[in-house]
Amino acid sequence: MDPKRATILLIEDDRILADMYRLKFEVSGLGLLVAFGGYEGLDSAKKAKPDLILLDLRMDDLDGFEVLTRLKADPTLAHIPVILLTNMSEKDNAEKGLALGAEAYVLKSKILPDALVARVTARLAQVSPRE
């Protein structure tokens, strides 16, 4: 898949971080939809059917584990790759997220925005086109 034509959804309740990621993706030629919180993220995923989801774990309304569980339980969304993007560095959280169906666990504090864009771009290049 051409990453420049992909739909990427970021589910993040920190508006400053979300704006920073959106700007970095746009400067790189990639569009980034942003949903502020878990419930909005689920609604956006159902409407947009993104090619990849970046999901924060710690959110005020619905935590990322619950969002991930609901995404993977929905047959129309379960195939979408989810990368957890969080500051929760505990090993148990990473194991839980991967067990629930996320394909990667990325610490915000350990990855620069440019590196995140590169990782997402590389991952999207592996995704087959939507049916």
Side-chain angles (χ1 to χ4, degrees):
M1 161 175 289
D2 178 0
K4 302 228 185 252
R5 300 183 64 170
T7 301
I8 305 161
L9 173 62
L10 170 65
I11 303 173
E12 167 68 64
D13 67 346
D14 182 321
R15 291 185 184 272
I16 294 170
L17 277 178
D19 287 343
M20 181 211 43
Y21 285 123
R22 183 188 343 234
L23 179 61
K24 183 51 72 176
F25 275 78
E26 287 175 359
V27 165
S28 300
L30 301 171
L32 185 69
L33 299 174
V34 177
F36 296 103
Y39 290 112
E40 185 178 326
L42 287 169
D43 287 343
S44 293
K46 289 175 187 174
K47 290 175 185 166
K49 302 285 192 286
D51 298 292
L52 186 137
I53 296 173
L54 297 168
L55 175 61
D56 188 16
L57 286 180
R58 191 175 297 143
M59 294 182 283
D60 291 335
D61 63 346
L62 188 66
D63 76 37
F65 291 124
E66 183 60 27
V67 173
L68 180 59
T69 299
R70 292 182 189 193
L71 288 168
K72 295 303 178 183
D74 184 329
T76 65
L77 303 174
H79 69 283
I80 300 170
V82 176
I83 296 174
L84 297 175
L85 182 62
T86 183
N87 276 322
M88 296 174 65
S89 62
E90 297 82 7
K91 184 179 175 190
D92 292 350
N93 289 326
E95 291 171 355
K96 180 178 179 180
L98 296 173
L100 290 172
E103 69 174 46
Y105 193 91
V106 177
L107 293 175
K108 293 175 190 174
S109 61
K110 301 282 185 186
I111 191 166
L112 293 172
D114 286 336
L116 180 62
V117 170
R119 185 170 185 162
V120 167
T121 300
R123 177 59 183 92
L124 287 169
Q126 300 171 1
V127 177
S128 59
R130 287 192 251 183
E131 315 218 14

